[in-house]
Amino acid sequence: MATLHFKGKSFVQNHHLTVKYHHLVPDKAASLTAKVSLHDNLIVHGDNLIALKALLPTYAGKVKCIYIDPPYNTGNEDWVYNDNVNSPMLQEWLGKVVDKEDLSRHDKWLCMMMPRLKLLWELLHEEGVIFISIDDREVHHLRMLMDEIFQEENFIAQLVWEKGRKNDAKLFSVGHEYMVVYSRSLATLRQLGTVWREPQPGAKEIWDEYCRLREIHGEDDKAIGNALQEWYEQLPKQHPSKALSRYKNVDKWGPWRDDNISWPGGGGPRYDVVHPKTKQPCAVPERGWGFSTPEAMQRKIQLGLVVFREDHTKPPIRKTHLRPIPEELEEDEEFLLNEDDDEDKDEAKVGMKVMPSVIYRQSQVAVKYLRKLMGAKVFNNPKDHEVLARIFRYCTSPSDIILDSFAGSGTTAHAVLALNKEDGGNRRFILVECEKYAKSITAERVKRVIQGLPESRDQNLKIGLGGTFSFFKLGEAIEMESILQGDNLPSYEDLARYVFYTATGEEFNPSQIDLERNYIGEGKQYEVYLLYKPNLEYLKTSALNLETVEKMGDYKGKIRMVFAPMKYLDIERLQEYRIEYCQLPFEIYKLRD
């Protein structure tokens, strides 16, 4: 694999490990919820590198979809390199605007992106996927960086978002940008048989009309087909169902269209398929039959999914139904439309298609929408919430977590809320925004789409999409020096969250805390205990001893990891009680396996 080298890489490739954990401080006034919680929809205000590190104890390996829209590095964005990396060379970059005259701007951009992508990788679920918006200036650098961090074999696609022509261009109108798409583990997706599909516009309307006609005409498929064709003809020219009017035939499985029965790409199998009337083998398609064996072909014929022509001189045609028929179908009767069918399941199966790699959506649509929503132009180049909702609908389930660490105007939250309103899901969003407008624009937009704008003509926006969110600010770092000196001591729960994650790499659940036993939770390998109070006198005198061991209760088979300021047990006793001792404050940075 080709390797990307850039100025500063050696200093930033492990910088994410040195970033300190910080408190996430709730801001009740800026939230829209009865109870501020880290398990609510989240908006976090602060540097996204620090915020991502702070989210690890709660969300590592939990995020199903990440969408980010980082600076494109055009030279006109006024972004600043602010990562406090321990290097004199990088210290010189701090606080300076990156513009077109900056000859090191590509290096700075890569130095900014690398540690953030590494933390995003840690947050991503094993079945998760990341989408990154970018344009021509950095896409080639981004691809190589992603190949290094996410691995080349986990590349999925590079989508093109066509946003409209620029008539003032001197040479070419470059109106597109990209979405680079990687999975955490493409092998896992393949092993699980993951398939992504999206609804085909107009398909549901056709199915609804078919169901209505079925009630009128009963089992008369020909009458239903004739009526369906008449329905197509009277549709307005721009109606989305018009483009699917090839689904004009009807059988017991619903509307269908004729399709090619040959092997895609050529080189398919060749065997005899006997015509039912002439009893002669049908002509074999030039590319071979579309079904791998004679038995598979016979099964399709028996199910009525193959239509023979007048004689054997031409290959038969294959039926493709609006509502796909499962490959594992054993008895055709089980797929018939009847009164016991689950309508939601029917709709989920109707007219699904694979998403193309090119998305067409004018950029001005999002600009005008946000201006109406906020009452003025408050943000340059906002993303389109309908496009993001389409992406999230395509690759997430109704209970997934979606993260955006370059939140901007809050488009990702808007898309998640709109999608939940559409399908009744309970997806959650996590937004991180470092700029001052995190409250005035990001959070304010989310509030407006949740609560609604009575004066809006958009019905969903008028009544509101519903939902809640908790607003957090980045607090102080959890500094060991502070614990030694008794300054800015973290709360018991904050320190418990930190040490539990560093010990186990797993999500911390505060409801497991048992202060009487000093117990803070159980991971796959460890039971974890913390002897601590935010009190300097307690830290001077508290210790792991026989009394605290007795409070732990019976040994359950897992190593008991105990964090405490000191201990009064020797190595033999620690081994006897299956205890691994970690001294506060020095060993809470203990690396997990």
Side-chain angles (χ1 to χ4, degrees):
M1 182 181 75
T3 304
L4 178 67
H5 294 282
F6 52 91
K7 184 178 179 181
K9 180 178 181 179
S10 60
F11 301 111
V12 300
Q13 57 189 358
N14 290 315
H15 178 53
H16 65 293
L17 299 175
T18 68
V19 175
K20 292 181 172 65
Y21 287 88
H22 284 60
H23 299 289
L24 288 171
V25 181
D27 186 336
K28 176 67 176 175
S31 302
L32 188 63
T33 183
K35 183 179 180 182
V36 178
S37 167
L38 279 171
H39 296 279
D40 190 9
N41 289 313
L42 299 181
I43 301 178
V44 181
H45 182 201
D47 183 284
N48 57 9
L49 181 64
I50 298 172
L52 291 173
K53 190 69 176 274
L55 288 166
L56 278 179
T58 307
Y59 287 103
K62 305 291 182 183
V63 177
K64 202 65 170 294
C65 179
I66 294 171
Y67 170 77
I68 59 172
D69 182 24
Y72 286 8
N73 213 15
T74 63
N76 299 318
E77 296 162 308
D78 294 336
W79 73 276
V80 176
Y81 183 82
N82 273 331
D83 292 349
N84 194 13
V85 180
N86 187 23
S87 159
M89 182 192 75
L90 270 64
Q91 290 283 333
E92 292 180 3
W93 293 354
L94 289 177
K96 297 179 181 178
V97 173
V98 180
D99 57 26
K100 287 183 177 179
E101 305 305 317
D102 190 338
L103 298 180
S104 62
R105 78 173 193 265
H106 297 294
D107 303 278
K108 290 179 180 178
W109 189 85
L110 288 164
C111 284
M112 181 269 292
M113 290 296 293
M114 189 172 209
R116 286 161 176 81
L117 289 171
K118 289 195 171 187
L119 289 176
L120 290 170
W121 183 89
E122 290 194 47
L123 286 160
L124 197 58
H125 191 282
E126 187 72 10
E127 301 168 33
V129 61
I130 180 170
F131 294 80
I132 306 176
S133 282
I134 200 68
D135 72 1
D136 287 311
R137 293 172 181 85
E138 297 290 359
V139 66
H140 51 302
H141 293 142
L142 177 63
R143 283 286 302 275
M144 293 191 72
L145 190 60
M146 291 296 288
D147 284 348
E148 182 174 333
I149 297 171
F150 280 74
Q151 301 302 308
E152 185 178 4
E153 62 267 21
N154 292 318
F155 171 73
I156 294 179
Q158 183 168 304
L159 307 181
V160 176
W161 186 343
E162 175 57 59
K163 305 181 104 177
R165 183 177 300 177
K166 299 177 181 178
N167 290 321
D168 59 347
K170 297 294 189 293
L171 300 174
F172 286 96
S173 172
V174 181
H176 70 274
E177 57 186 52
Y178 306 100
M179 276 193 200
V180 174
V181 189
Y182 281 73
S183 64
R184 170 69 186 264
S185 172
L186 193 55
T188 298
L189 296 183
R190 286 171 175 159
Q191 183 179 0
L192 294 171
T194 301
V195 175
W196 293 339
R197 291 291 183 269
E198 66 177 355
Q200 197 161 356
K204 183 181 181 300
E205 290 86 343
I206 297 172
W207 184 261
D208 289 343
E209 178 64 14
Y210 160 72
C211 292
R212 188 185 73 83
L213 294 172
R214 176 67 75 183
E215 289 184 0
I216 296 172
H217 298 287
E219 296 182 8
D220 192 341
D221 293 338
K222 187 174 182 180
I224 296 172
N226 291 336
L228 190 61
Q229 290 186 55
E230 292 177 5
W231 180 77
Y232 283 130
E233 291 170 3
Q234 57 82 34
L235 288 175
K237 188 176 181 180
Q238 300 303 320
H239 195 285
S241 297
K242 201 86 169 178
L244 301 176
S245 59
R246 282 186 61 197
Y247 290 95
K248 59 186 178 180
N249 305 294
V250 170
D251 63 13
K252 57 188 174 184
W253 288 300
W256 63 272
R257 63 177 176 84
D258 56 291
D259 208 344
N260 199 313
I261 202 168
S262 62
W263 193 268
R270 310 181 78 83
Y271 47 78
D272 286 348
V273 176
V274 178
H275 192 280
K277 290 183 180 178
T278 67
K279 307 302 179 183
Q280 297 293 317
C282 292
V284 179
E286 183 179 345
R287 297 184 301 187
W289 294 114
F291 305 115
S292 58
T293 65
E295 291 75 20
M297 174 68 80
Q298 281 303 122
R299 177 62 181 152
K300 299 296 182 181
I301 293 172
Q302 290 169 5
L303 289 173
L305 302 179
V306 174
V307 178
F308 287 91
R309 300 179 191 263
E310 286 299 314
D311 59 37
H312 58 275
T313 58
K314 293 181 180 180
I317 61 173
R318 176 171 62 89
K319 291 182 180 181
T320 292
H321 285 79
L322 186 68
R323 176 188 177 193
I325 300 174
E327 290 291 331
E328 66 273 14
L329 186 65
E330 294 295 335
E331 296 293 335
D332 54 0
E333 287 79 14
E334 74 181 56
F335 202 72
L336 290 173
L337 180 68
N338 57 58
E339 295 179 357
D340 297 326
D341 271 354
D342 186 326
E343 291 183 4
D344 292 336
K345 289 181 181 178
D346 288 343
E347 291 180 10
K349 295 172 183 174
V350 171
M352 305 303 287
K353 64 175 184 175
V354 67
M355 186 173 175
S357 60
V358 180
I359 299 169
Y360 296 93
R361 181 74 167 179
Q362 287 280 347
S363 59
Q364 286 303 305
V365 174
V367 173
K368 292 176 181 178
Y369 188 97
L370 185 60
R371 187 184 299 145
K372 285 183 179 179
L373 176 62
M374 303 299 288
K377 184 178 180 179
V378 296
F379 196 85
N380 292 325
N381 304 314
K383 284 296 181 284
D384 193 302
H385 75 277
E386 292 187 5
V387 172
L388 295 193
R390 180 183 178 186
I391 294 290
F392 302 152
R393 182 191 299 113
Y394 193 65
C395 66
T396 71
S397 298
S399 60
D400 287 341
I401 298 170
I402 298 162
L403 182 147
D404 182 349
S405 55
F406 293 85
S409 68
T411 305
T412 293
H414 190 161
V416 170
L417 293 167
L419 188 52
N420 284 343
K421 180 78 171 182
E422 174 188 309
D423 66 8
N426 60 343
R427 298 169 188 82
R428 284 191 285 138
F429 62 78
I430 301 173
L431 304 187
V432 181
E433 179 51 57
C434 66
E435 299 293 344
K436 295 178 180 179
Y437 55 70
K439 286 185 182 180
S440 61
I441 297 178
T442 313
E444 179 61 26
R445 175 184 185 170
V446 181
K447 279 184 180 179
R448 292 187 181 202
V449 298
I450 286 175
Q451 295 177 326
L453 297 175
E455 67 276 13
S456 176
R457 293 181 181 180
D458 183 315
Q459 191 60 26
N460 277 334
L461 196 52
K462 185 174 184 177
I463 63 175
L465 299 174
T468 63
F469 70 84
S470 294
F471 194 99
F472 284 81
K473 297 178 290 187
L474 281 177
E476 298 294 325
I478 301 178
E479 296 272 11
M480 293 306 96
E481 292 81 3
S482 298
I483 294 180
L484 282 171
Q485 298 169 11
D487 300 329
N488 300 317
L489 292 171
S491 68
Y492 187 90
E493 184 175 317
D494 281 343
L495 188 58
R497 176 181 291 106
Y498 176 42
V499 300
F500 184 83
Y501 176 73
T502 55
T504 67
E506 298 171 42
E507 181 180 357
F508 172 68
N509 182 357
S511 67
Q512 293 187 17
I513 292 176
D514 183 345
L515 292 174
E516 182 66 27
R517 299 170 53 217
N518 301 304
Y519 175 79
I520 62 173
E522 181 177 336
K524 295 176 181 177
Q525 292 181 286
Y526 302 104
E527 290 179 20
V528 187
Y529 298 81
L530 173 64
L531 277 68
Y532 170 78
K533 288 182 182 179
N535 179 293
L536 193 57
E537 293 304 315
Y538 174 88
L539 294 175
K540 290 177 180 178
T541 59
S542 179
L544 173 62
N545 53 32
L546 287 175
E547 182 182 353
T548 53
V549 171
E550 289 177 2
K551 288 181 180 179
M552 292 180 191
D554 296 334
Y555 174 64
K556 297 180 181 177
K558 293 182 180 178
I559 296 172
R560 297 191 280 196
M561 182 172 287
V562 181
F563 293 87
M566 63 188 90
K567 64 176 174 66
Y568 295 143
L569 299 176
D570 57 26
I571 293 177
E572 288 75 16
R573 284 297 181 93
L574 291 175
Q575 290 177 344
E576 177 185 347
Y577 293 114
R578 306 293 197 277
I579 289 174
E580 186 173 325
Y581 170 68
C582 299
Q583 184 175 8
L584 285 176
F586 299 106
E587 290 202 13
I588 67 172
Y589 56 78
K590 176 181 174 67
L591 293 177
R592 63 188 185 276
D593 293 333

mmCIF file of all heavy atoms in Angstrom, residues 195-201 203-204 244 247 320-324 345-355 393-394:
data_model
loop_
_atom_site.group_PDB
_atom_site.id
_atom_site.type_symbol
_atom_site.label_atom_id
_atom_site.label_comp_id
_atom_site.label_asym_id
_atom_site.label_seq_id
_atom_site.Cartn_x
_atom_site.Cartn_y
_atom_site.Cartn_z
ATOM 1 N N VAL A 195 -26.988 -5.761 3.332
ATOM 2 C CA VAL A 195 -27.425 -5.218 2.037
ATOM 3 C C VAL A 195 -28.101 -3.882 2.306
ATOM 4 O O VAL A 195 -28.994 -3.788 3.138
ATOM 5 C CB VAL A 195 -28.412 -6.171 1.326
ATOM 6 C CG1 VAL A 195 -28.938 -5.531 0.048
ATOM 7 C CG2 VAL A 195 -27.743 -7.511 1.020
ATOM 8 N N TRP A 196 -27.678 -2.853 1.625
ATOM 9 C CA TRP A 196 -28.299 -1.532 1.747
ATOM 10 C C TRP A 196 -29.196 -1.285 0.546
ATOM 11 O O TRP A 196 -28.815 -1.523 -0.597
ATOM 12 C CB TRP A 196 -27.240 -0.434 1.802
ATOM 13 C CG TRP A 196 -26.397 -0.457 3.042
ATOM 14 C CD1 TRP A 196 -26.687 -1.029 4.230
ATOM 15 C CD2 TRP A 196 -25.103 0.139 3.197
ATOM 16 N NE1 TRP A 196 -25.675 -0.839 5.127
ATOM 17 C CE2 TRP A 196 -24.684 -0.129 4.520
ATOM 18 C CE3 TRP A 196 -24.260 0.851 2.356
ATOM 19 C CZ2 TRP A 196 -23.454 0.320 5.014
ATOM 20 C CZ3 TRP A 196 -23.037 1.296 2.840
ATOM 21 C CH2 TRP A 196 -22.654 1.029 4.156
ATOM 22 N N ARG A 197 -30.390 -0.792 0.799
ATOM 23 C CA ARG A 197 -31.327 -0.437 -0.257
ATOM 24 C C ARG A 197 -32.114 0.808 0.151
ATOM 25 O O ARG A 197 -32.235 1.103 1.340
ATOM 26 C CB ARG A 197 -32.316 -1.581 -0.537
ATOM 27 C CG ARG A 197 -31.691 -2.815 -1.174
ATOM 28 C CD ARG A 197 -31.248 -2.552 -2.591
ATOM 29 N NE ARG A 197 -30.711 -3.741 -3.252
ATOM 30 C CZ ARG A 197 -29.429 -4.081 -3.251
ATOM 31 N NH1 ARG A 197 -28.537 -3.343 -2.598
ATOM 32 N NH2 ARG A 197 -29.023 -5.160 -3.893
ATOM 33 N N GLU A 198 -32.642 1.512 -0.840
ATOM 34 C CA GLU A 198 -33.467 2.683 -0.557
ATOM 35 C C GLU A 198 -34.759 2.609 -1.370
ATOM 36 O O GLU A 198 -34.809 1.935 -2.411
ATOM 37 C CB GLU A 198 -32.724 3.972 -0.883
ATOM 38 C CG GLU A 198 -32.418 4.179 -2.355
ATOM 39 C CD GLU A 198 -31.742 5.516 -2.633
ATOM 40 O OE1 GLU A 198 -31.599 6.313 -1.686
ATOM 41 O OE2 GLU A 198 -31.381 5.769 -3.789
ATOM 42 N N PRO A 199 -35.813 3.269 -0.890
ATOM 43 C CA PRO A 199 -37.093 3.230 -1.608
ATOM 44 C C PRO A 199 -36.972 3.887 -2.984
ATOM 45 O O PRO A 199 -36.256 4.867 -3.152
ATOM 46 C CB PRO A 199 -38.043 4.032 -0.710
ATOM 47 C CG PRO A 199 -37.370 4.108 0.621
ATOM 48 C CD PRO A 199 -35.905 4.057 0.351
ATOM 49 N N GLN A 200 -37.670 3.322 -3.945
ATOM 50 C CA GLN A 200 -37.703 3.895 -5.284
ATOM 51 C C GLN A 200 -38.870 4.872 -5.357
ATOM 52 O O GLN A 200 -40.015 4.502 -5.055
ATOM 53 C CB GLN A 200 -37.875 2.778 -6.310
ATOM 54 C CG GLN A 200 -37.512 3.179 -7.715
ATOM 55 C CD GLN A 200 -37.258 1.968 -8.592
ATOM 56 O OE1 GLN A 200 -37.282 0.849 -8.121
ATOM 57 N NE2 GLN A 200 -37.017 2.192 -9.871
ATOM 58 N N PRO A 201 -38.652 6.141 -5.701
ATOM 59 C CA PRO A 201 -39.734 7.120 -5.754
ATOM 60 C C PRO A 201 -40.887 6.643 -6.625
ATOM 61 O O PRO A 201 -40.675 6.180 -7.748
ATOM 62 C CB PRO A 201 -39.061 8.365 -6.355
ATOM 63 C CG PRO A 201 -37.611 8.212 -6.012
ATOM 64 C CD PRO A 201 -37.349 6.732 -6.073
ATOM 65 N N ALA A 203 -42.831 4.057 -6.089
ATOM 66 C CA ALA A 203 -43.155 2.630 -5.959
ATOM 67 C C ALA A 203 -44.290 2.403 -4.957
ATOM 68 O O ALA A 203 -45.180 1.583 -5.193
ATOM 69 C CB ALA A 203 -41.913 1.854 -5.532
ATOM 70 N N LYS A 204 -44.267 3.113 -3.848
ATOM 71 C CA LYS A 204 -45.307 2.915 -2.837
ATOM 72 C C LYS A 204 -46.682 3.290 -3.382
ATOM 73 O O LYS A 204 -47.689 2.612 -3.104
ATOM 74 C CB LYS A 204 -44.997 3.736 -1.594
ATOM 75 C CG LYS A 204 -46.005 3.520 -0.460
ATOM 76 C CD LYS A 204 -45.677 4.356 0.749
ATOM 77 C CE LYS A 204 -46.688 4.095 1.858
ATOM 78 N NZ LYS A 204 -48.066 4.416 1.465
ATOM 79 N N LEU A 244 -42.083 4.382 -13.542
ATOM 80 C CA LEU A 244 -42.129 2.946 -13.252
ATOM 81 C C LEU A 244 -43.308 2.264 -13.944
ATOM 82 O O LEU A 244 -43.737 1.184 -13.544
ATOM 83 C CB LEU A 244 -42.240 2.729 -11.726
ATOM 84 C CG LEU A 244 -41.103 3.321 -10.881
ATOM 85 C CD1 LEU A 244 -41.397 3.129 -9.398
ATOM 86 C CD2 LEU A 244 -39.775 2.683 -11.236
ATOM 87 N N TYR A 247 -44.108 -1.529 -14.848
ATOM 88 C CA TYR A 247 -44.767 -2.493 -13.958
ATOM 89 C C TYR A 247 -46.267 -2.477 -14.260
ATOM 90 O O TYR A 247 -47.095 -2.080 -13.441
ATOM 91 C CB TYR A 247 -44.507 -2.134 -12.489
ATOM 92 C CG TYR A 247 -43.084 -2.360 -12.047
ATOM 93 C CD1 TYR A 247 -42.153 -1.320 -12.070
ATOM 94 C CD2 TYR A 247 -42.672 -3.615 -11.609
ATOM 95 C CE1 TYR A 247 -40.844 -1.524 -11.664
ATOM 96 C CE2 TYR A 247 -41.357 -3.825 -11.205
ATOM 97 C CZ TYR A 247 -40.446 -2.780 -11.238
ATOM 98 O OH TYR A 247 -39.149 -2.996 -10.832
ATOM 99 N N THR A 320 -39.820 -9.421 -13.096
ATOM 100 C CA THR A 320 -39.276 -8.675 -11.955
ATOM 101 C C THR A 320 -40.437 -7.944 -11.302
ATOM 102 O O THR A 320 -41.098 -7.118 -11.939
ATOM 103 C CB THR A 320 -38.195 -7.673 -12.398
ATOM 104 O OG1 THR A 320 -37.057 -8.404 -12.863
ATOM 105 C CG2 THR A 320 -37.761 -6.790 -11.237
ATOM 106 N N HIS A 321 -40.690 -8.253 -10.040
ATOM 107 C CA HIS A 321 -41.851 -7.703 -9.339
ATOM 108 C C HIS A 321 -41.514 -6.417 -8.590
ATOM 109 O O HIS A 321 -40.385 -6.215 -8.142
ATOM 110 C CB HIS A 321 -42.415 -8.734 -8.358
ATOM 111 C CG HIS A 321 -43.168 -9.831 -9.021
ATOM 112 N ND1 HIS A 321 -42.539 -10.903 -9.636
ATOM 113 C CD2 HIS A 321 -44.512 -10.028 -9.187
ATOM 114 C CE1 HIS A 321 -43.465 -11.708 -10.151
ATOM 115 N NE2 HIS A 321 -44.659 -11.201 -9.889
ATOM 116 N N LEU A 322 -42.499 -5.586 -8.461
ATOM 117 C CA LEU A 322 -42.346 -4.349 -7.691
ATOM 118 C C LEU A 322 -42.009 -4.677 -6.241
ATOM 119 O O LEU A 322 -41.172 -4.022 -5.621
ATOM 120 C CB LEU A 322 -43.647 -3.535 -7.761
ATOM 121 C CG LEU A 322 -43.613 -2.147 -7.120
ATOM 122 C CD1 LEU A 322 -42.698 -1.219 -7.909
ATOM 123 C CD2 LEU A 322 -45.024 -1.561 -7.042
ATOM 124 N N ARG A 323 -42.648 -5.685 -5.731
ATOM 125 C CA ARG A 323 -42.356 -6.172 -4.384
ATOM 126 C C ARG A 323 -41.523 -7.443 -4.542
ATOM 127 O O ARG A 323 -42.048 -8.492 -4.917
ATOM 128 C CB ARG A 323 -43.656 -6.470 -3.644
ATOM 129 C CG ARG A 323 -43.484 -7.065 -2.257
ATOM 130 C CD ARG A 323 -44.840 -7.504 -1.717
ATOM 131 N NE ARG A 323 -44.734 -8.149 -0.420
ATOM 132 C CZ ARG A 323 -45.728 -8.839 0.154
ATOM 133 N NH1 ARG A 323 -46.885 -8.980 -0.474
ATOM 134 N NH2 ARG A 323 -45.567 -9.388 1.336
ATOM 135 N N PRO A 324 -40.203 -7.371 -4.297
ATOM 136 C CA PRO A 324 -39.319 -8.519 -4.561
ATOM 137 C C PRO A 324 -39.768 -9.777 -3.837
ATOM 138 O O PRO A 324 -40.241 -9.729 -2.700
ATOM 139 C CB PRO A 324 -37.959 -8.045 -4.046
ATOM 140 C CG PRO A 324 -38.039 -6.560 -4.088
ATOM 141 C CD PRO A 324 -39.469 -6.224 -3.774
ATOM 142 N N LYS A 345 -44.428 -4.263 6.655
ATOM 143 C CA LYS A 345 -43.456 -5.141 6.008
ATOM 144 C C LYS A 345 -43.623 -5.073 4.496
ATOM 145 O O LYS A 345 -42.648 -5.087 3.753
ATOM 146 C CB LYS A 345 -43.638 -6.575 6.491
ATOM 147 C CG LYS A 345 -43.202 -6.775 7.940
ATOM 148 C CD LYS A 345 -43.388 -8.213 8.354
ATOM 149 C CE LYS A 345 -42.969 -8.423 9.810
ATOM 150 N NZ LYS A 345 -43.182 -9.814 10.254
ATOM 151 N N ASP A 346 -44.880 -4.988 4.022
ATOM 152 C CA ASP A 346 -45.115 -4.876 2.585
ATOM 153 C C ASP A 346 -44.414 -3.642 2.034
ATOM 154 O O ASP A 346 -43.707 -3.693 1.038
ATOM 155 C CB ASP A 346 -46.615 -4.756 2.291
ATOM 156 C CG ASP A 346 -47.335 -6.074 2.518
ATOM 157 O OD1 ASP A 346 -46.662 -7.107 2.585
ATOM 158 O OD2 ASP A 346 -48.569 -6.041 2.648
ATOM 159 N N GLU A 347 -44.615 -2.503 2.723
ATOM 160 C CA GLU A 347 -44.043 -1.254 2.254
ATOM 161 C C GLU A 347 -42.523 -1.317 2.256
ATOM 162 O O GLU A 347 -41.862 -0.760 1.393
ATOM 163 C CB GLU A 347 -44.529 -0.091 3.119
ATOM 164 C CG GLU A 347 -46.011 0.205 2.939
ATOM 165 C CD GLU A 347 -46.461 1.356 3.818
ATOM 166 O OE1 GLU A 347 -45.598 2.022 4.405
ATOM 167 O OE2 GLU A 347 -47.674 1.580 3.923
ATOM 168 N N ALA A 348 -41.957 -1.998 3.245
ATOM 169 C CA ALA A 348 -40.504 -2.090 3.344
ATOM 170 C C ALA A 348 -39.920 -2.875 2.180
ATOM 171 O O ALA A 348 -38.762 -2.694 1.818
ATOM 172 C CB ALA A 348 -40.104 -2.740 4.668
ATOM 173 N N LYS A 349 -40.723 -3.757 1.564
ATOM 174 C CA LYS A 349 -40.222 -4.602 0.487
ATOM 175 C C LYS A 349 -40.469 -4.011 -0.897
ATOM 176 O O LYS A 349 -39.885 -4.457 -1.879
ATOM 177 C CB LYS A 349 -40.901 -5.973 0.551
ATOM 178 C CG LYS A 349 -40.575 -6.772 1.813
ATOM 179 C CD LYS A 349 -41.434 -8.010 1.869
ATOM 180 C CE LYS A 349 -41.205 -8.808 3.138
ATOM 181 N NZ LYS A 349 -42.135 -9.936 3.260
ATOM 182 N N VAL A 350 -41.339 -3.015 -0.986
ATOM 183 C CA VAL A 350 -41.773 -2.532 -2.291
ATOM 184 C C VAL A 350 -40.783 -1.550 -2.888
ATOM 185 O O VAL A 350 -40.386 -0.579 -2.253
ATOM 186 C CB VAL A 350 -43.158 -1.858 -2.180
ATOM 187 C CG1 VAL A 350 -43.519 -1.156 -3.477
ATOM 188 C CG2 VAL A 350 -44.211 -2.895 -1.839
ATOM 189 N N GLY A 351 -40.377 -1.800 -4.135
ATOM 190 C CA GLY A 351 -39.618 -0.831 -4.916
ATOM 191 C C GLY A 351 -38.304 -0.415 -4.304
ATOM 192 O O GLY A 351 -37.934 0.751 -4.397
ATOM 193 N N MET A 352 -37.563 -1.329 -3.695
ATOM 194 C CA MET A 352 -36.268 -0.992 -3.117
ATOM 195 C C MET A 352 -35.181 -1.098 -4.185
ATOM 196 O O MET A 352 -35.211 -1.988 -5.028
ATOM 197 C CB MET A 352 -35.946 -1.907 -1.942
ATOM 198 C CG MET A 352 -37.007 -1.932 -0.857
ATOM 199 S SD MET A 352 -37.358 -0.303 -0.165
ATOM 200 C CE MET A 352 -35.893 -0.038 0.817
ATOM 201 N N LYS A 353 -34.217 -0.185 -4.124
ATOM 202 C CA LYS A 353 -33.154 -0.184 -5.133
ATOM 203 C C LYS A 353 -31.827 0.181 -4.481
ATOM 204 O O LYS A 353 -31.780 0.782 -3.402
ATOM 205 C CB LYS A 353 -33.472 0.811 -6.245
ATOM 206 C CG LYS A 353 -33.513 2.261 -5.768
ATOM 207 C CD LYS A 353 -33.699 3.216 -6.928
ATOM 208 C CE LYS A 353 -33.639 4.668 -6.434
ATOM 209 N NZ LYS A 353 -33.705 5.636 -7.534
ATOM 210 N N VAL A 354 -30.749 -0.178 -5.157
ATOM 211 C CA VAL A 354 -29.420 0.183 -4.675
ATOM 212 C C VAL A 354 -29.178 1.656 -5.005
ATOM 213 O O VAL A 354 -29.630 2.168 -6.036
ATOM 214 C CB VAL A 354 -28.347 -0.721 -5.322
ATOM 215 C CG1 VAL A 354 -28.233 -0.467 -6.815
ATOM 216 C CG2 VAL A 354 -27.009 -0.529 -4.636
ATOM 217 N N MET A 355 -28.509 2.340 -4.112
ATOM 218 C CA MET A 355 -28.261 3.768 -4.295
ATOM 219 C C MET A 355 -27.131 3.983 -5.292
ATOM 220 O O MET A 355 -26.089 3.326 -5.212
ATOM 221 C CB MET A 355 -27.894 4.403 -2.945
ATOM 222 C CG MET A 355 -27.755 5.908 -2.973
ATOM 223 S SD MET A 355 -27.520 6.527 -1.292
ATOM 224 C CE MET A 355 -27.245 8.255 -1.629
ATOM 225 N N ARG A 393 -30.882 6.973 6.149
ATOM 226 C CA ARG A 393 -31.935 5.985 5.911
ATOM 227 C C ARG A 393 -31.359 4.742 5.244
ATOM 228 O O ARG A 393 -31.747 3.617 5.530
ATOM 229 C CB ARG A 393 -33.024 6.590 5.024
ATOM 230 C CG ARG A 393 -34.209 5.662 4.744
ATOM 231 C CD ARG A 393 -35.115 6.205 3.651
ATOM 232 N NE ARG A 393 -35.691 7.497 3.987
ATOM 233 C CZ ARG A 393 -35.380 8.626 3.338
ATOM 234 N NH1 ARG A 393 -34.493 8.610 2.347
ATOM 235 N NH2 ARG A 393 -35.955 9.759 3.696
ATOM 236 N N TYR A 394 -30.404 4.976 4.369
ATOM 237 C CA TYR A 394 -29.827 3.907 3.553
ATOM 238 C C TYR A 394 -28.985 2.933 4.370
ATOM 239 O O TYR A 394 -29.013 1.732 4.130
ATOM 240 C CB TYR A 394 -28.967 4.550 2.457
ATOM 241 C CG TYR A 394 -28.557 3.612 1.347
ATOM 242 C CD1 TYR A 394 -29.503 3.050 0.503
ATOM 243 C CD2 TYR A 394 -27.224 3.314 1.119
ATOM 244 C CE1 TYR A 394 -29.128 2.209 -0.535
ATOM 245 C CE2 TYR A 394 -26.830 2.477 0.083
ATOM 246 C CZ TYR A 394 -27.793 1.928 -0.741
ATOM 247 O OH TYR A 394 -27.417 1.086 -1.760
#
